[in-house]
Amino acid sequence: MKFSWLSLSIIACALQITVAAEDGYRLWLRYEPLPGQTIKTYLPHVTSVVASGDSATLEAIRTELIMGCAGMLGNSLPVSKDVDRDGALVAGTPENSPLIAELRWQKSLIGLGAEGFLIRSVKLKGRSVTVIASSGEIGALYGAFHFLRLMQTLQPIDRLDVSQKPRLKLRVLNHWDNLNGSIERGYAGRSLWNWNELPETVDPRLRDYARANASLGINGSVINNVNANSQSLSTEYLRKAAAIAGVFRPYGVRIFLSARFSAPMELGGLKTADPFDPQVATWWKKKADEIYRIIPDFGGFLVKANSEGQPGPRTYNRNHVDGANMLAAALAPHNGIVMWRAFVYDMKPDYDRAGAAYENLQPFDGKFAANVLLQIKNGPIDFQPREPFHPLFGAMPKTQLMPELQITQEYLGFSNHLVYLAPMWREFLDSDTHAKGPGSTVTKIVDGSLDKQKLTGIAGVANTGSDRNWTGHHFAQANWYAFGRLAWDADLPSEAIAEEWVKMTLTCDPEACSALVRLMLESHEALVDYMTPLGLHHIMWGGHHYGPAPWWDKEKRDDWNPIYYHRADERGLGFDRTKTGSNSVMQYHAPVRDRFANVTTCPEKFLVWFHHVPWDFRMRSGRIMWDELALHYQRGVEWVRSARKQWDAMSGVIDLERHAEVAKKLVIQERDAIHWRDSVLLYFQTFSKRPLPEGVEKPQMTLEEYQAKSLTW
Ligand code: GCV
């Protein structure tokens, strides 16, 4: 087997990077030298690569295994056609590898699908070898990454019997990238797609992006903003997109586009975008045909319709189903799909935004076409630091639902705050909707096991950008990682994911690793403490959403203003969503709704989400609500201080560059946490008229000073 120049240069590059500064570019695929004892035990099991086949994916498999072993073990694996020694790594499919075909695993492999894989230590041709097999090349690539991950995390590799397949079919990143290179809610630089230079020049970095996604099993990328520009569907931009798709393809990442509903008017010169107009339907059909001519494995459309000013079917007095199904019909002949977003909330007098998506969409259960998925944010408002699960999960058993998570930290301190999001996503996935009795978790709804949903998926709003370290904050890489791992296996514990990531990305030192994992696991609760404890939500500064502004009332829509959400007055705090208020708690199934609706049984983390609670309400701790609220803010600040100390103490374990960069961000995080605590408490104090309880520090500035200027990032 010969090596192409491409793979040689990739390996050379990787080896060079190993000695260069540690800037975070390599993400969790660093392949740093393992501890000496581990190398000794691994070496006999990793002696050559047998992965025949000329496809770009097989080339990627060989390259990755060789590069990984060179970095971790310091050996240079020969590529061989046959098994001629113990320790060979045999990778591929029964179609391209006679060796794998010989094993007669076809039945199990077919059961695992083209993305699933087996990794087994077996005897082949009288030799002890490791086989990484799948019925599809992409599955074999995923298996190769899994094998490398076992090594990166110091797992035994001598008696392997691993069998995996993804539970969800679509595991996609949504990029809110604009054609001018900016990213809506992006905090890690500019867009990775160099539209001006495409299709002639494709940034080599795109391959690394695809490779990182493949290492997690992410198999789709929506490359443009849901606040879409019709131009992305023009022939010129489709050719550019095709060049990107060409780089992603060997890594199993298909591309999707956000489609602007009014594109037939803007691109096609039609007078309407009414989905019932035959000319409109024909325009979309022709557009779909053209897209598939240019990008044969195109995934489909993501659509934000009739939401925040975007056009949609309701502009023409049609409904969401009319719009989604018209697009679905255009894509169906090509096996394309539509991800129709449920993020719709029309402002009506006295309405509750938290109940709006349910009101708008639940009545259409069972009406969407077979190739439509309804993409629903995890919570009913908008990617807040903490929300109860969206009531649509469990309310549409005859509709294919997929969650939309936000990896980018729009409301969670941008790329300045260290916050590990897996625990937040776990809380959501583990939520029991009780839709079909106890145990009807969100996971079971979205993986299709509860309602026999055929097409399944999950999306994460990406946090990547042109910053050298991809995500702005080194720890924000962990959120990209965790999203991918949960998309692959929605049951993975947050702790296990954090441990993998720390070992692969930062350090295998056992003490440092467990301290870092603990820090990561605590970080989300701490951020909720200093931002929005007890169910507070959407009290961020208007527009940019960085820092607090609970007093904010300047947005043109009521439901974009913090005062709409917290409803503080002299009696108390919180949005009454029970029958004395909006009653949107009724959108949940019993007994969830009963638990939420009763102020004494409502989980305290959602207290002021569902109730307007008196300042002197007695909490489970025995303290009054005001004191408890203040102590949460104080606790959040203290956590950041302790995180800083712990991080500082790790200066000998983490490389200098990343250590210094994270330390700098933690200084900002502490500044911000104090700002949150002081400004929010000073403001609510104007209603509660109570002193700060013992243990809460005196504010550093006056309320007027906090109100005068937002935090900068
Ligand atoms: C892409 C929130 C964000 C918007 C975003 C919107 C959405 O409102 O602030 O930037 O737009 O959600 O998810 O469509």
Side-chain angles (χ1 to χ4, degrees):
M1 182 78 35
K2 273 201 327 249
F3 258 132
S4 72
W5 279 111
L6 174 68
S7 37
L8 283 175
S9 61
I10 292 165
I11 293 167
C13 222
L15 295 176
Q16 261 171 30
I17 292 169
T18 314
V19 290
E22 194 61 81
D23 54 18
Y25 183 83
R26 289 180 297 159
L27 297 161
W28 46 88
L29 301 173
R30 291 168 70 234
Y31 304 136
E32 281 291 284
L34 299 174
Q37 191 47 43
T38 314
I39 295 181
K40 253 196 214 150
T41 51
Y42 283 174
L43 274 177
H45 303 288
V46 191
T47 58
S48 70
V49 175
V50 186
S52 35
D54 294 327
S55 73
T57 302
L58 274 148
E59 175 97 11
I61 294 174
R62 289 190 289 272
T63 306
E64 203 67 38
L65 289 172
I66 289 167
M67 183 163 75
C69 292
M72 288 188 279
L73 308 177
N75 63 351
S76 122
L77 291 189
V79 175
S80 112
K81 270 210 162 84
D82 213 347
V83 169
D84 57 4
R85 66 196 82 188
D86 287 335
L89 297 177
V90 181
T93 68
E95 273 74 52
N96 59 33
S97 165
L99 288 165
I100 292 177
E102 214 174 275
L103 290 165
R104 306 205 176 284
W105 292 351
Q106 277 83 333
K107 211 163 148 215
S108 326
L109 290 177
I110 286 167
L112 293 172
E115 293 183 314
F117 55 82
L118 290 173
I119 308 179
R120 287 184 180 157
S121 310
V122 292
K123 281 269 184 206
L124 203 58
K125 308 243 161 174
R127 305 286 187 179
S128 300
V129 303
T130 305
V131 177
I132 303 170
S134 170
S135 60
E137 292 189 357
I138 296 302
L141 177 67
Y142 290 167
F145 276 117
H146 187 80
F147 178 75
L148 290 165
R149 177 162 47 235
L150 293 175
M151 291 170 67
Q152 288 172 286
T153 54
L154 314 181
Q155 306 297 308
I157 57 163
D158 53 340
R159 270 186 250 156
L160 290 173
D161 188 3
V162 179
S163 162
Q164 291 206 5
K165 67 171 182 181
R167 291 244 296 278
L168 304 176
K169 289 199 179 102
L170 293 166
R171 306 173 300 277
V172 300
L173 288 182
N174 292 350
H175 289 271
W176 289 354
D177 291 22
N178 299 312
L179 299 187
N180 65 8
S182 62
I183 305 180
E184 183 157 347
R185 313 305 180 187
Y187 313 108
R190 307 268 301 162
S191 173
L192 289 167
W193 335 129
N194 46 344
W195 291 112
N196 289 338
E197 295 172 12
L198 286 162
E200 289 79 14
T201 310
V202 189
D203 185 344
R205 187 167 182 169
L206 268 53
R207 193 193 65 87
D208 289 335
Y209 162 88
R211 182 176 150 248
N213 282 325
S215 75
L216 306 171
I218 291 173
N219 64 1
S221 179
V222 185
I223 58 176
N224 63 320
N225 193 351
V226 285
N227 290 329
N229 183 331
S230 296
Q231 276 310 309
S232 17
L233 296 176
S234 66
T235 308
E236 183 194 354
Y237 272 85
L238 290 175
R239 295 224 167 89
K240 292 172 189 275
I244 299 178
V247 177
F248 290 0
R249 193 165 293 119
Y251 293 92
V253 181
R254 291 161 81 200
I255 70 159
F256 293 72
L257 289 169
S258 294
R260 186 168 164 86
F261 202 77
S262 52
M265 298 163 74
E266 288 133 17
L267 286 184
L270 300 188
K271 290 217 165 50
T272 176
D274 180 350
F276 281 7
D277 185 305
Q279 277 188 304
V280 171
T282 305
W283 187 88
W284 280 109
K285 206 185 154 323
K286 284 198 174 138
K287 186 46 78 181
D289 295 345
E290 181 193 10
I291 296 176
Y292 281 90
R293 271 197 306 278
I294 300 176
I295 312 168
D297 56 354
F298 178 67
F301 293 144
L302 171 63
V303 190
K304 173 174 179 178
N306 294 119
S307 161
E308 299 187 331
Q310 294 299 310
R314 294 184 51 190
T315 318
Y316 308 96
N317 279 330
R318 312 297 180 198
N319 61 44
H320 287 281
V321 170
D322 302 332
N325 289 358
M326 183 260 306
L327 293 177
L331 294 169
H334 309 281
N335 298 319
I337 61 132
V338 173
M339 295 180 280
W340 192 264
R341 292 179 90 228
F343 184 61
V344 283
Y345 57 106
D346 300 330
M347 184 73 213
K348 290 187 279 182
D350 291 332
Y351 101 127
D352 174 5
R353 174 169 163 187
Y358 182 104
E359 279 173 25
N360 272 287
L361 288 150
Q362 198 283 333
F364 297 114
D365 186 28
K367 305 266 187 314
F368 287 98
N371 58 336
V372 176
L373 279 150
L374 200 58
Q375 188 175 289
I376 309 168
K377 292 189 181 183
N378 57 294
I381 297 287
D382 188 14
F383 299 139
Q384 295 303 295
R386 169 167 276 140
E387 299 194 33
F389 67 92
H390 200 301
L392 278 175
F393 292 104
M396 299 186 73
K398 288 181 270 168
T399 304
Q400 306 185 111
L401 311 180
M402 71 186 285
E404 179 179 359
L405 310 176
Q406 195 180 43
I407 312 172
T408 190
Q409 293 166 224
E410 173 180 354
Y411 294 94
L412 291 92
F414 295 5
S415 56
N416 279 339
H417 290 206
L418 188 167
V419 56
Y420 173 54
L421 299 179
M424 177 175 82
W425 296 331
R426 271 257 61 86
E427 185 172 300
F428 158 68
L429 291 166
D430 292 340
S431 299
D432 194 344
T433 67
H434 282 263
K436 287 195 172 160
S440 308
T441 60
V442 170
T443 302
K444 286 192 189 152
I445 290 167
V446 302
D447 75 4
S449 54
L450 199 74
D451 297 312
K452 305 208 165 40
Q453 178 174 325
K454 282 210 181 96
L455 194 57
T456 55
I458 189 164
V461 181
N463 64 349
T464 49
S466 61
D467 278 5
R468 182 71 190 158
N469 72 5
W470 301 88
T471 55
H473 196 305
H474 290 290
F475 276 82
Q477 296 180 355
N479 294 329
W480 179 6
Y481 184 86
F483 168 77
R485 296 292 285 138
L486 284 173
W488 179 266
D489 178 357
D491 286 331
L492 280 178
S494 311
E495 185 170 0
I497 300 173
E499 201 177 313
E500 279 176 11
W501 180 81
V502 169
K503 285 186 176 158
M504 295 164 83
T505 317
L506 291 173
T507 176
C508 278
D509 176 89
E511 231 176 275
C513 178
S514 66
L516 285 166
V517 169
R518 207 182 45 247
L519 211 64
M520 287 168 73
L521 291 175
E522 293 164 354
S523 61
H524 172 251
E525 202 60 52
L527 177 135
V528 171
D529 275 340
Y530 66 72
M531 284 191 180
T532 53
L534 301 185
L536 280 168
H537 50 289
H538 221 303
I539 54 170
M540 290 74 186
W541 198 281
H544 55 65
H545 300 157
Y546 189 82
W551 49 83
W552 194 266
D553 59 1
K554 295 187 186 56
E555 299 296 327
K556 61 175 189 240
R557 285 176 59 150
D558 283 356
D559 57 355
W560 287 349
N561 283 314
I563 58 157
Y564 167 89
Y565 294 99
H566 63 67
R567 308 204 163 194
D569 58 21
E570 303 205 340
R571 285 182 309 118
L573 176 71
F575 197 125
D576 183 0
R577 295 192 162 110
T578 69
K579 61 176 185 293
T580 47
S582 74
N583 211 18
S584 56
V585 70
M586 289 306 284
Q587 294 175 346
Y588 292 98
H589 290 274
V592 182
R593 63 172 173 233
D594 308 323
R595 196 156 54 91
F596 287 164
N598 182 334
V599 75
T600 59
T601 57
C602 181
E604 287 186 346
K605 61 186 176 186
F606 299 135
L607 195 61
V608 303
W609 183 285
F610 288 109
H611 300 272
H612 191 73
V613 182
W615 296 109
D616 62 358
F617 176 81
R618 210 38 79 185
M619 304 289 286
R620 276 162 217 149
S621 63
R623 284 187 279 270
I624 59 166
M625 186 270 280
W626 164 252
D627 290 354
E628 188 86 5
L629 182 78
L631 286 163
H632 271 281
Y633 277 100
Q634 178 65 29
R635 197 192 304 157
V637 170
E638 281 163 12
W639 181 86
V640 185
R641 288 187 184 136
S642 128
R644 279 191 64 189
K645 279 205 193 101
Q646 292 179 61
W647 182 254
D648 288 347
M650 281 179 209
S651 62
V653 189
I654 312 289
D655 50 279
L656 283 176
E657 194 173 351
R658 288 186 301 170
H659 188 270
E661 282 168 5
V662 170
K664 242 183 173 166
K665 297 260 181 186
L666 283 168
V667 174
I668 303 175
Q669 190 167 353
E670 183 180 337
R671 175 205 68 171
D672 293 355
I674 293 170
H675 189 111
W676 268 95
R677 180 198 62 195
D678 292 356
S679 60
V680 174
L681 290 178
L682 281 170
Y683 170 71
F684 285 144
Q685 200 172 32
T686 63
F687 300 99
S688 82
K689 309 220 183 325
R690 286 164 196 273
L692 291 174
E694 209 183 300
V696 177
E697 286 160 40
K698 207 168 145 277
Q700 295 187 349
M701 297 198 295
T702 64
L703 177 59
E704 292 66 34
E705 284 168 320
Y706 284 119
Q707 286 175 320
K709 208 160 116 300
S710 92
L711 268 172
T712 48
W713 52 92

